[in-house]
Amino acid sequence: MPKNSKVVKRDLDDDVIESVKDLLSNEDSVEEVSKKSELIVDVQEEKDTDAEDGSEADDERPAWNSKLQYILAQVGFSVGLGNVWRFPYLCQKNGGGAYLLPYLILLLVIGIPLFFLELSVGQRIRRGSIGVWNYISPKLGGIGFASCVVCYFVALYYNVIIGWTLFYFSQSFQQPLPWDQCPLVKNASHTYVEPECEQSSATTYYWYREALDITSSISDSGGLNWKMTVCLLVAWVMVCLAMIKGIQSSGKIMYFSSLFPYVVLICFLIRSLLLNGSIDGIRHMFTPKLEMMLEPKVWREAATQVFFALGLGFGGVIAFSSYNKRDNNCHFDAVLVSFINFFTSVLATLVVFAVLGFKANIVNEKCISQNSEMILKLLKMGNISWDVIPHHINLSAVTVEDYRLVYDIIQKVKEEEFAVLHLSACQIEDELNKAVQGTGLAFIAFTEAMTHFPASPFWSVMFFLMLINLGLGSMFGTIEGIITPVVDTFKVRKEILTVICCLLAFCIGLIFVQRSGNYFVTMFDDYSATLPLLIVVILENIAVSFVYGIDKFIEDLTDMLGFAPSKYYYYMWKYISPLMLLTLLIASIVNMGLSPPGYNAWIKEKASEEFLSYPMWGMVVCFSLMVLAILPVPVVFIIRRCNLIDDSSGNLASVTYKRGRVLKEPVNLEGDDASLIHGKIPSEMSSPSFGKNIYRKQSGSPTLDTAPNGRYGIGYLMADMPDMPESDL
């Protein structure tokens, strides 16, 4: 070794020994030690670093252009198709207006606290779902991966629904609408109505035969439906173009996609209130059936709807909030977005039942007309005496009240023979009690009602454009829940990852645009998200409240918000919410076990739906979807618990983030909780960490990315020193 090298090495060793003595002595405070350790960095580098840190907030991560853009993004993600076609159905099914009370209670107990929790951790740690839970506890890092898997499963079939909506939107520019009348079939001798349509209805026939061209079972694929394949491609192209630049591109689209549905809903409400029968629908909707509030099923379905309405566990909430400033009042955001979501659901319910009331009134008028003709025939045949019919009633143009009077009279006179007459009561409540949800509401019931609107093509265009925007808003949050954590963790280019993600999803999504694709959509909707997301959110709550520590988390929030959150959240996060979530998980498992796994198949010969059980391979797929979604949690836990991957090998436990660079950390992030409390993530701490190692700049040496938690991020070499008790620090 050259002589001058020995001198340099001797000087370096002396400096290290002096640094060790300083650290072991109790004369200096931690702050003084920190200052001394920073003196070894030359003045010029200190100036450069300070300049870099001054602009770190701008360089490290993109940010929302405004608070309004961020709120609209969260509203667009949480307010989706479920608010329009799931909430009204649950409200009708579970006691009308009485259902709103358990929903509101569970929104306060489960919804807002957990929504606030996800907003807080995303904004505090400023990473996607993988980085957030890996930071809080590397052993629970699988929570983030599970969120990404569930997001991808949901995105696969959710965009298919947007594709269906695009098809109906493209067919709405016609007068009359193509689903207005049953098609006629011509042969050599005569013309007749399509039997499948005649036995069902024009809108039902159009949905199952013209749009989906559906097969009679999931085992019969029937080949690709080219119309829906093109629509699915267009849907994924729209999502890809909107997301390719991250929030810089999707954030601007939010101004339209989030606000336009409200314009359409208000227009629909005003228009439907002017239609005959709309008040009957709204009255039926909000007539409370208080006795149903005592049924556990009502509370379980309300809790599930609250859970999915806010998008908990998907990672989209965390991803969007990670682009916020650290001093943003995320508590206000959580309450605001939650109640916007709730009132949107109520508004959509008003619109749906005003329109369904109008439709029920038309159906009821047809029923009265047909039954009046039957009564006239029975009178002419002598089966019913003219003497029982009041003289002021004209059966050729009978009103609803007069028909009810005649029906009751005939029922009393012909007590034993009444069933043989085949007369119907024609009550509007019977039509309104027919519970319709999901695609049945959007593509059958609502489309049928719109055919009776004046200027029906205009309202059809507006309705399906609203559904497209609601779907895209949720898709943006879902895809962001995949892209952001992957980009944060693996430092890939967002544009390339977005294109690959969308292209792969389109290829996998081809199974949903087969002629049997609707059955696969039902399968994924039932089994790919419900239980895995519940487990993910339970683990999120446990990770924050018990692994990281609820007291430390409250301190973090106080430091971030500038005020201490209410004690209400402390008790919710630590006791009530975990207990409620576990109860909901058990109830969901029991309900799934009691419900035979199957689907409603459309039988062409019967022109009706029939419940069929999944074949054996279908059962395997259902089980595999649930296992694959939650599998990352135990896999990552075992890997970290058993140290199956060395920290120095570049695994996820040794990755932190600073200004777009990946820094390899040989320290365990799990023991680095103090940095979160004091307001900085490890890559932003103001001085090197003191523990079993100290770090010192080597003069004249190349820079090495070896410093864990260092302020400067590069250029320190590790020097071993004896173990030092925490008290000596």
Side-chain angles (χ1 to χ4, degrees):
M1 180 181 291
K3 181 179 180 181
N4 58 345
S5 298
K6 293 181 179 179
V7 173
V8 170
K9 184 178 184 301
R10 192 184 307 114
D11 292 339
L12 179 59
D13 291 340
D14 292 339
D15 288 343
V16 170
I17 292 170
E18 290 175 4
S19 298
V20 172
K21 289 179 180 179
D22 290 339
L23 285 173
L24 292 175
S25 67
N26 292 324
E27 297 176 359
D28 293 335
S29 65
V30 174
E31 289 80 4
E32 291 173 338
V33 173
S34 177
K35 291 178 183 177
K36 288 182 180 181
S37 66
E38 289 182 348
L39 292 177
I40 59 177
V41 182
D42 60 76
V43 177
Q44 184 60 42
E45 185 180 10
E46 214 168 23
K47 291 180 180 178
D48 293 341
T49 308
D50 290 338
E52 285 181 356
D53 283 345
S55 61
E56 184 173 341
D58 298 327
D59 297 339
E60 185 184 62
R61 195 171 190 80
W64 298 101
N65 291 336
S66 65
K67 180 67 174 282
L68 176 62
Q69 190 181 76
Y70 164 67
I71 293 295
L72 289 178
Q74 290 286 17
V75 168
F77 175 51
S78 66
V79 175
L81 297 173
N83 296 75
V84 174
W85 67 29
R86 177 69 178 168
F87 186 89
Y89 161 76
L90 291 174
C91 203
Q92 173 198 23
K93 177 186 172 186
N94 296 316
Y99 173 76
L100 298 178
L101 183 59
Y103 185 88
L104 198 55
I105 291 172
L106 290 166
L107 181 66
L108 296 173
V109 173
I110 293 179
I112 294 178
L114 295 176
F115 194 60
F116 181 29
L117 184 145
E118 289 201 355
L119 289 178
S120 302
V121 295
Q123 180 176 310
R124 189 71 189 83
I125 303 174
R126 305 200 73 190
R127 303 181 192 173
S129 56
I130 295 176
V132 160
W133 304 114
N134 187 58
Y135 184 90
I136 286 179
S137 173
K139 291 187 180 69
L140 295 177
I143 297 174
F145 287 99
S147 291
C148 290
V149 173
V150 174
C151 274
Y152 205 68
F153 282 161
V154 171
L156 288 175
Y157 73 85
Y158 201 88
N159 221 24
V160 174
I161 300 174
I162 297 177
W164 294 342
T165 311
L166 284 169
F167 174 76
Y168 268 79
F169 174 73
S170 67
Q171 299 299 307
S172 297
F173 296 90
Q174 304 178 43
Q175 177 67 29
L177 291 168
W179 49 84
D180 186 28
Q181 300 290 335
C182 283
L184 299 176
V185 180
K186 296 181 180 180
N187 59 19
S189 58
H190 63 285
T191 302
Y192 58 94
V193 177
E194 170 65 49
E196 186 181 3
C197 183
E198 191 175 23
Q199 294 176 51
S200 54
S201 69
T203 50
T204 304
Y205 172 82
Y206 191 86
W207 166 241
Y208 284 115
R209 191 54 53 212
E210 297 293 336
L212 299 181
D213 193 17
I214 200 163
T215 59
S216 297
S217 76
I218 194 171
S219 301
D220 180 11
S221 71
L224 288 178
N225 181 339
W226 69 267
K227 292 180 289 188
M228 290 307 170
T229 304
V230 172
C231 291
L232 180 64
L233 177 62
V234 172
W236 276 115
V237 169
M238 291 168 62
V239 171
C240 184
L241 293 177
M243 297 298 301
I244 198 163
K245 291 292 184 181
I247 62 170
Q248 281 82 5
S249 54
S250 64
K252 295 178 177 63
I253 300 172
M254 291 296 178
Y255 287 108
F256 179 77
S257 65
S258 297
L259 294 176
F260 180 74
Y262 291 96
V263 175
V264 176
L265 284 173
I266 292 171
C267 290
F268 259 99
L269 181 61
I270 295 171
R271 182 67 189 91
S272 59
L273 288 175
L274 301 175
L275 298 172
N276 189 26
S278 60
I279 301 300
D280 294 325
I282 294 175
R283 187 188 301 116
H284 175 81
M285 179 68 258
F286 288 102
T287 301
K289 301 170 186 172
L290 298 176
E291 67 278 2
M292 295 193 70
M293 288 181 60
L294 301 176
E295 297 182 12
K297 178 184 175 184
V298 174
W299 290 83
R300 178 182 62 80
E301 293 191 341
T304 305
Q305 179 62 18
V306 167
F307 187 83
F308 289 105
L310 294 175
L312 299 174
F314 280 96
V317 173
I318 294 175
F320 279 150
S321 65
S322 70
Y323 298 113
N324 268 332
K325 295 179 180 177
R326 281 209 174 86
D327 59 352
N328 174 62
N329 188 348
C330 56
H331 174 254
F332 172 79
D333 300 341
V335 175
L336 177 64
V337 173
S338 298
F339 278 102
I340 287 176
N341 187 292
F342 172 68
F343 287 117
T344 303
S345 298
V346 175
L347 174 62
T349 302
L350 283 171
V351 172
V352 166
F353 275 89
V355 173
L356 291 182
F358 166 67
K359 172 179 172 285
N361 188 71
I362 292 174
V363 172
N364 199 52
E365 287 177 356
K366 288 181 180 179
C367 176
I368 291 174
S369 176
Q370 292 171 356
N371 280 268
S372 297
E373 291 177 3
M374 290 177 63
I375 293 173
L376 281 172
K377 288 180 181 179
L378 292 170
L379 287 168
K380 290 176 182 178
M381 293 169 60
N383 293 346
I384 301 175
S385 173
W386 282 97
D387 296 334
V388 301
I389 307 298
H391 297 293
H392 69 278
I393 294 177
N394 180 10
L395 288 173
S396 299
V398 67
T399 62
V400 175
E401 293 77 11
D402 288 345
Y403 176 78
R404 287 297 310 164
L405 178 60
V406 172
Y407 180 85
D408 291 339
I409 291 172
I410 295 174
Q411 190 175 27
K412 289 177 182 178
V413 173
K414 299 283 186 180
E415 290 183 5
E416 297 179 358
E417 302 174 5
F418 183 76
V420 182
L421 300 178
H422 301 294
L423 294 177
S424 174
C426 295
Q427 291 183 329
I428 197 169
E429 289 79 12
D430 294 337
E431 185 66 25
L432 288 170
N433 280 329
K434 293 178 181 177
V436 184
Q437 66 164 326
T439 54
L441 175 64
F443 300 116
I444 298 176
F446 221 87
T447 51
E448 183 179 344
M450 286 187 295
T451 58
H452 302 290
F453 277 32
S456 55
F458 169 77
W459 293 104
S460 182
V461 168
M462 293 287 283
F463 175 70
F464 289 111
L465 188 58
M466 176 191 73
L467 292 186
I468 291 169
N469 279 276
L470 285 172
L472 286 176
S474 297
M475 275 298 296
F476 293 158
T478 304
I479 297 298
E480 197 68 54
I482 303 168
I483 301 296
T484 296
V486 173
V487 169
D488 284 348
T489 304
F490 300 104
K491 295 301 173 186
V492 296
R493 285 193 60 184
K494 179 167 284 190
E495 295 86 349
I496 296 174
L497 178 62
T498 304
V499 171
I500 293 173
C501 179
C502 293
L503 184 61
L504 181 61
F506 169 73
C507 294
I508 299 173
L510 291 177
I511 65 172
F512 301 109
V513 290
Q514 303 174 96
R515 290 178 58 199
S516 61
N518 186 44
Y519 306 138
F520 285 96
V521 170
T522 302
M523 177 190 288
F524 271 67
D525 191 35
D526 290 342
Y527 294 97
S528 70
T530 306
L531 289 183
L533 276 181
L534 272 172
I535 295 171
V536 164
V537 176
I538 290 171
L539 291 174
E540 287 181 358
N541 200 338
I542 291 172
V544 170
S545 300
F546 301 102
V547 178
Y548 181 71
I550 190 66
D551 294 314
K552 287 193 287 183
F553 186 63
I554 294 293
E555 287 182 29
D556 293 343
L557 289 179
T558 304
D559 175 63
M560 182 171 68
L561 299 175
F563 62 89
S566 169
K567 272 286 184 184
Y568 170 81
Y569 292 105
Y570 178 91
Y571 294 111
M572 288 295 110
W573 287 329
K574 190 166 185 179
Y575 303 111
I576 307 300
S577 293
L579 183 62
M580 294 288 290
L581 287 171
L582 284 171
T583 305
L584 179 58
L585 177 64
I586 294 169
S588 298
I589 293 172
V590 170
N591 181 66
M592 189 172 288
L594 295 176
S595 304
Y599 60 100
N600 289 318
W602 179 257
I603 309 301
K604 181 178 181 179
E605 292 74 20
K606 299 179 181 178
S608 63
E609 288 186 336
E610 182 179 313
F611 185 82
L612 298 179
S613 298
Y614 287 117
M616 183 54 66
W617 64 264
M619 301 280 284
V620 172
V621 172
C622 293
F623 182 74
S624 300
L625 288 173
M626 292 187 288
V627 171
L628 285 174
I630 208 64
L631 190 62
V633 175
V635 168
V636 172
F637 181 84
I638 292 170
I639 289 174
R640 302 275 168 81
R641 185 74 178 85
C642 302
N643 294 320
L644 298 181
I645 299 179
D646 185 31
D647 281 350
S648 62
S649 64
N651 64 29
L652 294 175
S654 61
V655 177
T656 189
Y657 313 93
K658 181 175 175 66
R659 287 194 291 276
R661 297 194 302 271
V662 183
L663 307 179
K664 306 299 180 185
E665 296 188 298
V667 297
N668 189 351
L669 286 175
E670 189 175 13
D672 205 16
D673 294 333
S675 61
L676 184 61
I677 299 173
H678 295 302
K680 289 184 178 293
I681 62 175
S683 61
E684 293 178 320
M685 292 182 68
S686 58
S687 62
S689 297
F690 299 102
K692 294 183 179 180
N693 308 302
I694 65 169
Y695 298 86
R696 189 183 188 286
K697 176 80 172 167
Q698 182 184 22
S699 177
S701 67
T703 58
L704 300 173
D705 289 350
T706 56
N709 309 334
R711 176 182 180 182
Y712 305 100
I714 57 174
Y716 289 93
L717 290 179
M718 183 171 67
D720 294 331
M721 61 177 289
D723 289 349
M724 181 169 53
E726 288 185 4
S727 58
D728 290 339
L729 289 177

